[in-house]
């Protein structure tokens, strides 16, 4: 079908404002009567707060408020309410907010912090998973059994450090292992990492003299901030307004509610001052959400032909001190635990474990990167054992139409085999490198959005007298290009050009509801809502045009804002002309100003059975893809040079090829960076490398050659067939690189990141590096 | 005690009072309302605060404002001529080199400095020339392509 | 954020020195600021006065000396030094070391004076300056003096400067025609990283070798044992391995956040071997030069 605007590389509508340096992010906003906030953070991983003395800080001239958990003991939580705004009674990680100061300057606020006296009584810290899971483990949350949470979706285990235990039982793994020719078991490890958005987190809050609270925040989810703050502070949602300016990258780290609770609490004390908190980079590393760590044990039963029959997985997630969001990552990993493969028998136990570490939260991939680090090396190792080609074993086991996944859902419209074949072709998997110590590796992936079945998107638009459109969404532009794609969709549906579509900034007083900008769901969910809103407006326009032109609405079409018969004959009118209603010859008016509304909730999502995790539809849709890497290993230094990366994704329909390309390139680089460089180095619960000096991310100097293509297997209920896409591009990169290293020098690194030290140690074990035939 | 600072900013002479310990970054953003230059780390590691000081790219978070006395500073706001975009800015838009936009001002200034000293840099030279500017969204490829195209246009 | 300080611009070296001598605990020299201001921000130091030496006479000048050496003003930006050294083979190690410091933006401000006075054991420029026989021209309340760089580093963050003294310039002596040098840096990433191991080597026309190390001892150091080796003008594989062994012996690497001692020890050997291969030509099936560059830092030069 011929499309005018979707499917084309329309330039970013927020491009000019960003290259001009005119885009306003949270730290750029200047509001009157501003007070500046500094947060006092716990120096201990686990300790009881015996006493806090704020009095000296309060006395400092220029300090307007000093607060702690004593004044504001409220707790926050998206799925499990376990995270206080300020520590109450005890601290659970190094960096936990204990108190905060609002003062007339940042320097004064910093001075005031030094005057706060806190007495701690140290408690035995839980710094690793074995300690957390021991029978006599110190409890990070003694009162876990009293916390409210979403029942029958999450399963905290009272009086333990297990915040969630998600289970999948499909078929019988015992039977599966019994009939397998071989059984192979291996363990994998992913440490905690940080998203590293270029823009540090920030928020400003103000309570006006009527008690209404406004929050400006560089967040991914204004409605979540509003909702969770409303619950925590016991206020109605309608009395909290959340506004989102430009956001400098999210990657999940700005999802849910983050630091907003601190500024809201302070704002309530100092009404009507604006209270501003912008985190230092160091604070971003340990004081905001981090990637959960994972210790995975995978046991696979397979035939000598390479067919996977059974998989038993134990996934231990290091959720950190608070898991209000992280519990869902653990659940997502459970229901995705078969990965992109068709496995008849699946048994998965996925545990979200509390430790006295930074707070685990959504990180690009939402558990899929960590899971595929394990699964994609597991299948590669099985291939090696069988002397089987890594592409062939994946082809044999790949999910296809009719496959049931780990939850028993029957999959449809799956293009994985095409992604796999094209990726293999692009990198040349069938022609191993001739140079020594070079190798190629491949990895597949799958992900579906992890949202409640009720997660909704809504869109509202109005048409202006010049034929332009104001589109109101609470979906946030975090760099992914969502504003541009939505403008294209409006243009396509309505029959105007994308330049005439203006996106309003998310503002919960004005823009309609959006669950969250996470899960790569905006194109799919909000795209559908926008499409419906545009169609709604179009219907109204055509009804008036029909009246004016003496035609039936079905006979009319809108092209570049001009409305006429499809035959091209007869009189015309325009969107402009009808924008405020129809002026009749008599002088009267008909209809009214044209507006359109639309909403979307995915159809038929079904909860997981608590005991077996089985469900006909756990998520709205799945997106598959594959990546392959070619690496060169320096066997003397252990350094790995990633030379080329191929990536092919089945996005259903590519709404904007240039933007989609950018997503893949960005994901590959983040995946490469995560594979080789990234981990939070912990010592005694403290992050030792909380700065760019020692938390290294890839620079432009690390660019490999990238070969990218797309497959388009339409998603039935996606806008124009489009699937969610964005996170997926960094999921398989690390295992593809690990698999390539194995092909190059015969060593396997199963513990991220792949450092030269680990490669050298593995080579030493091997005695002599060899090329895999 | 504040002291007088006089310098040329985006082609115009300006003068204002600043604290001796004020960073150039803060004077630009807070005193002069030029918020295009961003703070990403405060330690000279991420490049988001890059400006040109007498034509040389520097991280303004590590420049004391008084140091620029009598010198000329170029920020992202000075790249365009009213509404007419610089060729680099246009190339960034055309090649899809922008996502969240937070690194973009710094990238543009680093790229501008690169093209001033090397009219026709190779891809490798562009990659290295921009390695002082971190980006987490784009993966750099589109940015490198944009810089290539911009200098091809100039020559 | 850093503390509140006064910013001073002295008009002469004498004025600068007098002020520093009068305020030894509270005044610090400011050149490029890329180390100093970072430490101020982190709260490691809280100076009350920053004394900017960038505009002092010859502070940022680099020129050839009459004797055929090079004089480098202590506050000269590293990029300017790199450009001056062009494709000079003898001074290549310094050019490569300078190029490997931080980012391009940092190198527009950072200086040799700052790098050596900060006296980090991992300072990139130190090993290169050491093999090139650098001496420092130091100015102080009691006048000027000269000090060989090898006597300058006393320990991590400690130098032989007396209160009130400032390094004014770095003097590199004449290098004979046919001399060649190299600096190989091991770091985690391909760009913008501190050294885990730094190896600088200089080969004189008479085939004597000078090797210096960074990041593997409390101070950057010259491996004097290697300098004493004069293998009758011929560097056989055996002689090279002996040199490598001496270099490893001279180092005392520690385990820290950036690398383990074992990894450092291993890389010292690997990079010394590669430095020798580059200067002397490859012996046997050593890895290709581009792999050495992979293991080291990206460099503008191609050899």
């Amino acid at each position: 079908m011929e499309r005018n605007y979707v499917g084309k590389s329309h330039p970013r509508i927020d491009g000019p404002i960003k290259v001009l340096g005119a885009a306003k992010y949270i730290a750029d906003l200047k509001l009157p009567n501003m007070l500046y906030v500094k947060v006092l953070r716990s120096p201990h991983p686990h300790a009881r707060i015996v006493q806090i003395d704020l009095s000296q800080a309060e006395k400092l001239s220029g300090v307007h408020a000093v607060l702690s958990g004593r004044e504001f003991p409220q707790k926050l939580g998206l799925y499990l309410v376990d995270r206080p705004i300020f520590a109450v009674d005890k601290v659970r990680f190094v960096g936990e907010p204990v108190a905060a100061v609002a003062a007339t300057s940042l320097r004064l606020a910093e001075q005031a912090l030094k005057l706060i006296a806190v007495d701690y009584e140290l408690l035995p810290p839980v710094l690793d998973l074995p300690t957390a899971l021991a029978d006599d483990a110190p409890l990070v949350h003694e009162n876990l059994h009293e916390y409210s949470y979403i029942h029958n979706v999450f399963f905290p285990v009272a009086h333990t450090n297990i915040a969630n235990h998600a289970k999948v039982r499909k078929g019988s793994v015992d039977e599966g292992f019994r009939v397998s020719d071989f059984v192979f078991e291996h363990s994998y490890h992913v440490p905690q990492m940080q998203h590293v958005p270029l823009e540090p987190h920030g928020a400003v809050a103000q309570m006006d003299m009527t008690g209404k609270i406004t929050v400006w925040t560089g967040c991914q989810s204004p409605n979540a901030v509003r909702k969770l703050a409303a619950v925590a502070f016991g206020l109605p949602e309608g009395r909290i307004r959340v506004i989102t300016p430009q956001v400098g990258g999210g990657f999940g780290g700005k999802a849910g509610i983050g630091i907003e609770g601190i500024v809201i609490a302070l704002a309530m004390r100092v009404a009507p001052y604006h209270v501003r908190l912008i985190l230092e980079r160091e604070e971003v590393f340990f004081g905001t959400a981090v990637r959960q760590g994972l210790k995975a044990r995978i046991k696979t039963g397979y035939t000598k032909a390479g067919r996977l029959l059974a998989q038993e997985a134990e996934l231990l997630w290091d959720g950190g001190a608070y898991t209000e969001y992280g519990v869902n990552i653990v659940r997502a990993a459970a229901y995705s635990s078969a990965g992109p493969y068709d496995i008849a028998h699946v048994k998965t136990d996925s545990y979200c474990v509390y430790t006295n570490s930074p707070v685990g939260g959504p990180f690009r991939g939402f558990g899929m990167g960590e899971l595929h680090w394990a699964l994609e090396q597991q299948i590669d190792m099985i291939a090696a054992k069988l002397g089987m080609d890594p592409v062939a074993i994946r082809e044999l086991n790949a999910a296809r139409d009719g496959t049931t996944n780990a939850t028993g859902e029957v999959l449809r419209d799956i293009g994985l085999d095409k992604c796999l074949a094209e990726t293999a072709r692009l990198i040349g998997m069938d022609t191993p490198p001739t140079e020594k110590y070079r190798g190629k590796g491949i990895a597949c992936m799958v992900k579906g959005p992890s949202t409640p079945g009720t997660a909704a998107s809504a869109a509202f638009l109005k048409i202006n007298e010049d034929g332009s459109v104001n589109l109101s969404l609470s979906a946030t532009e975090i760099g992914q290009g969502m504003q541009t794609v939505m403008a294209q969709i409006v243009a396509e549906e309505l029959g105007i050009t994308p330049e005439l579509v203006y996106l309003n900034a998310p503002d919960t007083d004005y823009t309609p509801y959006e669950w969250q900008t996470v899960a790569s769901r905006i194109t799919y969910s909000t795209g559908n809502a926008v499409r419906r809103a545009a169609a709604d407006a179009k219907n109204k326009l055509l009804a008036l045009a029909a009246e004016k032109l003496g035609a039936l609405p079905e006979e009319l079409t809108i092209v570049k804002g001009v409305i006429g018969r499809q035959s091209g004959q007869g009189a015309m009118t325009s969107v402009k002309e009808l924008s405020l209603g129809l002026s009749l010859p008599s002088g009267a008016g008909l209809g009214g100003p044209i507006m359109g509304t639309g909403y979307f909730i995915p159809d038929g999502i079904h909860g997981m059975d608590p005991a077996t995790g089985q469900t006909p539809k756990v998520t709205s849709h799945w997106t598959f893809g594959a990546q392959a890497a070619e690496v060169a290993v320096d066997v003397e230094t252990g350094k790995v040079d990633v030379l080329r990366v191929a990536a092919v994704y089945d996005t259903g329909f590519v709404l904007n090829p240039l933007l989609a390309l950018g997503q893949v390139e960005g994901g590959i680089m983040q995946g490469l960076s995560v594979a080789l460089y990234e981990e939070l180095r912990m010592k005694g619960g403290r992050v030792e490398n909380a700065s760019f000096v020692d938390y290294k991310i890839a620079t432009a100097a690390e660019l490999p050659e990238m070969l990218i293509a797309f497959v388009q297997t339409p998603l039935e209920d996606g806008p124009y067939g489009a699937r969610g896409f964005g996170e997926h591009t960094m999921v398989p990169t690390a295992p593809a690189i690990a698999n390539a290293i194995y092909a190059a020098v015969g060593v396997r690194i199963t513990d991220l990141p792949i450092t030269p030290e680990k490669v050298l140690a593995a080579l030493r074990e091997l005695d002599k590096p060899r090329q895999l035939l | 005690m504040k002291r007088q600072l006089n310098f040329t900013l985006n082609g115009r002479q300006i003068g204002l009072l600043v604290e001796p310990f004020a960073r150039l970054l803060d004077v630009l953003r807070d005193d002069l309302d030029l918020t295009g230059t961003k703070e990403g780390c405060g330690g000279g590691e991420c490049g988001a605060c890059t400006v040109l000081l007498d034509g040389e790219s520097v991280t303004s978070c590590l420049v004391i404002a008084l140091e620029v006395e009598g010198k000329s500073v170029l920020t992202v706001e000075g790249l365009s001529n009213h509404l007419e975009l610089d060729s680099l800015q246009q190339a960034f838009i055309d090649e899809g080199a922008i996502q969240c936009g937070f690194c973009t001002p710094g990238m543009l200034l680093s790229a501008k400095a690169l093209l001033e000293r090397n009219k026709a840099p190779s891809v490798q030279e562009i990659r290295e020339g921009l390695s002082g500017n971190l980006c987490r969204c784009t993966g750099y490829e589109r940015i490198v392509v944009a810089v290539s195209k911009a200098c091809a246009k100039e020559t | 954020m850093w503390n509140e300080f006064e910013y001073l611009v002295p008009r002469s070296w004498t004025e600068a020195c007098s002020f520093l001598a009068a305020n030894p605990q509270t005044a610090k020299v400011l050149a490029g600021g890329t180390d100093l201001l970072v430490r101020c921000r982190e709260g490691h130091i809280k100076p009350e006065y920053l004394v900017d030496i960038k505009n002092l006479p010859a502070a940022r000048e680099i020129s050839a000396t009459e004797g055929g050496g090079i004089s480098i003003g202590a506050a000269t930006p590293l990029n300017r030094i790199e450009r001056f050294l062009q494709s000079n083979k003898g001074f290549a190690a310094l050019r490569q070391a300078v190029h490997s410091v931080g980012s391009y933006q940092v190198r527009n401000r950072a200086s040799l004076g700052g790098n050596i006075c900060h006296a980090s054991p991992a300072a990139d420029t130190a090993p290169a300056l050491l093999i090139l026989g650098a001496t420092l021209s130091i100015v102080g309340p009691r006048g000027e003096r000269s000090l060989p760089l090898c006597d300058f580093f006393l320990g991590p963050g400690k130098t032989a400067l007396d209160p009130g003294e400032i390094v004014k310039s770095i003097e590199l002596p004449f290098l004979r025609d046919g001399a060649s040098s190299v600096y190989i840096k091991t770091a985690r990433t391909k760009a913008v990283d501190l050294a885990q191991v730094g190896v600088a080597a200089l080969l004189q026309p008479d085939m004597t070798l000078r090797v210096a190390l960074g990041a593997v001892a409390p101070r950057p150091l010259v491996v004097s044992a290697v300098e004493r080796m004069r293998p009758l003008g011929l560097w056989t594989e055996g002689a090279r391995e002996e040199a490598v062994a001496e270099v490893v012996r001279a180092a005392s690497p520690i385990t820290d956040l950036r690398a383990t001692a074992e990894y450092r020890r291993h890389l010292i050997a690997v990079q010394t071997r590669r430095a020798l291969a580059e200067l002397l030509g490859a012996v046997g099936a050593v890895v290709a030069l581009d792999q050495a560059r992979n293991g080291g830092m990206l460099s503008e030069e191609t050899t």
Side-chain angles (χ1 to χ4, degrees), chain A residues 141-149 156-159:
Chain A
H141 290 265
E142 304 92 337
N143 298 322
L144 178 58
H145 54 285
E146 289 171 6
Y147 294 172
S148 52
Y149 64 95
V157 182
H159 312 297

Side-chain angles (χ1 to χ4, degrees), chain A residues 11-12 14-16 18-25 27-30 107 194-200 246-249 251 276 280-282 363-364 477-481 658-659 661-663 665-667 669-670 673-674 678 692-693 695-706, chain B residues 21-22 28-43 45-48 76-80 82-85 88-90 92-105 107-108 124 126-128 130-142 144:
Chain A
R12 285 188 79 103
D14 52 342
K18 285 173 175 171
V19 297
L20 286 167
K24 295 289 186 193
Y25 302 79
D28 302 327
L29 298 184
K30 296 202 167 135
R107 234 170 243 288
Q194 223 284 320
H195 315 57
V196 189
L198 250 291
E199 180 208 19
Q246 289 285 356
V247 180
F251 309 105
R276 174 191 197 253
E280 307 273 0
R281 174 59 59 181
E282 290 76 5
F363 176 101
R364 188 173 192 171
E477 175 60 64
I478 55 176
Q480 82 284 55
L658 190 56
L659 290 185
L661 185 66
Q663 280 301 302
E665 291 168 346
M669 285 309 284
Q670 191 176 21
S673 188
V674 150
E678 298 186 37
F692 287 130
V693 175
Y695 190 101
K696 310 305 293 180
I697 70 170
T699 66
E702 312 274 342
L703 268 170
E705 183 191 344
M706 296 192 275
Chain B
F21 49 84
L28 292 171
R29 286 178 54 78
D30 300 336
D31 297 315
L32 297 167
D33 287 324
L34 295 174
T35 58
T37 308
K38 307 298 181 197
E39 178 163 4
C41 75
E45 295 277 335
C46 75
V76 64
E77 291 90 347
L79 280 180
S80 55
H82 290 283
L83 296 178
E84 200 185 301
L85 296 177
L88 265 172
Q89 291 170 307
Q90 190 59 52
F92 268 53
I93 293 172
D94 295 339
E95 299 307 320
I98 309 148
Q99 288 191 28
C100 83
F102 199 77
C103 78
T104 302
M107 278 288 182
L108 284 167
Q124 192 58 22
I126 297 174
R127 288 178 183 172
E128 224 216 317
L130 297 181
S131 58
N133 291 75
L134 296 179
C135 173
R136 196 59 149 169
C137 297
T138 69
Y140 307 104
E141 181 66 22
R142 302 283 103 221
V144 172

Side-chain angles (χ1 to χ4, degrees), chain A residues 435-438 633-637, chain C residues 184 270-271 273-275 277-278 282-296 303:
Chain A
E435 295 95 323
K436 258 181 121 181
Y437 312 129
R438 277 203 192 180
V633 180
D634 183 330
V635 298
E636 293 189 332
T637 63
Chain C
I184 301 184
V270 170
Q271 304 293 38
R273 217 172 271 126
R274 291 183 179 182
E278 180 158 344
V283 170
V286 182
V287 291
L289 197 60
D290 62 333
Q291 279 215 298
R293 283 279 160 251
N294 259 356
T303 41

Side-chain angles (χ1 to χ4, degrees), chain C residues 10-241:
Chain C
R11 285 153 303 179
S12 70
W13 290 98
T14 318
E15 192 184 326
C17 293
S18 320
F19 190 89
L20 287 165
N23 300 278
Q25 305 305 327
T26 54
K28 286 274 181 206
V29 170
L30 174 70
T34 52
D35 266 333
L36 186 82
L37 292 175
V38 170
R39 279 187 294 145
C40 287
R41 177 175 174 269
E42 288 166 354
H44 296 318
I45 53 173
K46 295 184 213 250
E48 287 172 36
Y49 307 96
L50 293 192
V51 180
D52 190 346
I53 62 163
K54 290 196 283 292
N55 295 315
L56 292 176
R60 282 188 294 178
E61 280 169 26
I62 178 169
S63 56
T65 59
E66 264 177 39
I70 303 180
S71 177
I72 309 174
T76 310
L78 298 182
N79 279 336
R80 193 176 299 169
I81 299 173
E82 186 179 342
R83 283 192 292 270
F84 183 88
L85 295 174
Q86 289 265 350
S87 41
N88 183 308
K89 284 197 99 153
F91 293 105
L94 181 59
R95 191 184 69 254
Q96 291 157 2
V98 151
H99 182 82
S100 77
V101 172
S103 66
Y104 188 84
Q105 294 95 308
V106 163
R107 298 196 293 276
N108 273 333
R109 303 272 292 167
S111 63
L112 288 185
N115 202 224
I116 63 173
C117 289
H118 182 202
S120 158
D124 285 303
T125 64
L129 290 171
L130 284 170
I131 55 161
L132 294 170
T135 52
L136 306 178
S137 175
I138 295 170
V139 64
R142 280 164 304 188
E144 294 200 26
R145 65 180 175 117
S146 199
L147 183 68
L149 184 63
C150 53
D151 296 331
F152 182 70
F153 299 112
L154 302 181
K158 283 196 160 69
T159 72
L161 287 178
D162 289 327
E165 285 191 314
I166 311 173
V167 173
K168 188 173 171 198
S169 68
I170 294 94
E171 306 293 325
L172 299 179
F174 164 72
L175 255 190
R176 273 165 282 163
D177 249 352
S180 58
S181 67
V182 69
Y183 174 67
I184 301 184
K185 171 176 181 168
T186 304
R188 292 161 293 192
T189 54
K190 289 186 179 175
V192 197
D193 196 6
L194 298 168
Q196 295 165 303
V197 172
V199 176
L202 169 73
L203 180 69
Q204 301 276 27
D206 68 358
M207 299 303 262
T208 52
L209 210 50
R210 197 183 287 156
V211 175
L213 298 174
V216 295
R219 322 172 269 164
L221 64 124
V222 177
V223 184
S224 38
V226 168
E227 200 160 1
R228 289 194 290 270
M229 289 176 70
R230 273 166 211 281
L232 303 167
L234 201 65
W235 281 96
T236 60
E237 185 165 2
R240 294 185 203 205
E241 283 310 307

Side-chain angles (χ1 to χ4, degrees), chain B residues 51-58 72-74 109 112-114 116-117, chain C residues 104 108:
Chain B
V51 298
L52 298 192
L53 177 58
D54 280 351
E56 302 281 18
S57 53
V58 297
S72 87
V73 173
L74 182 71
L109 267 327
K112 185 162 185 76
L114 172 65
E116 303 266 287
R117 68 179 182 269
Chain C
Y104 188 84
N108 273 333

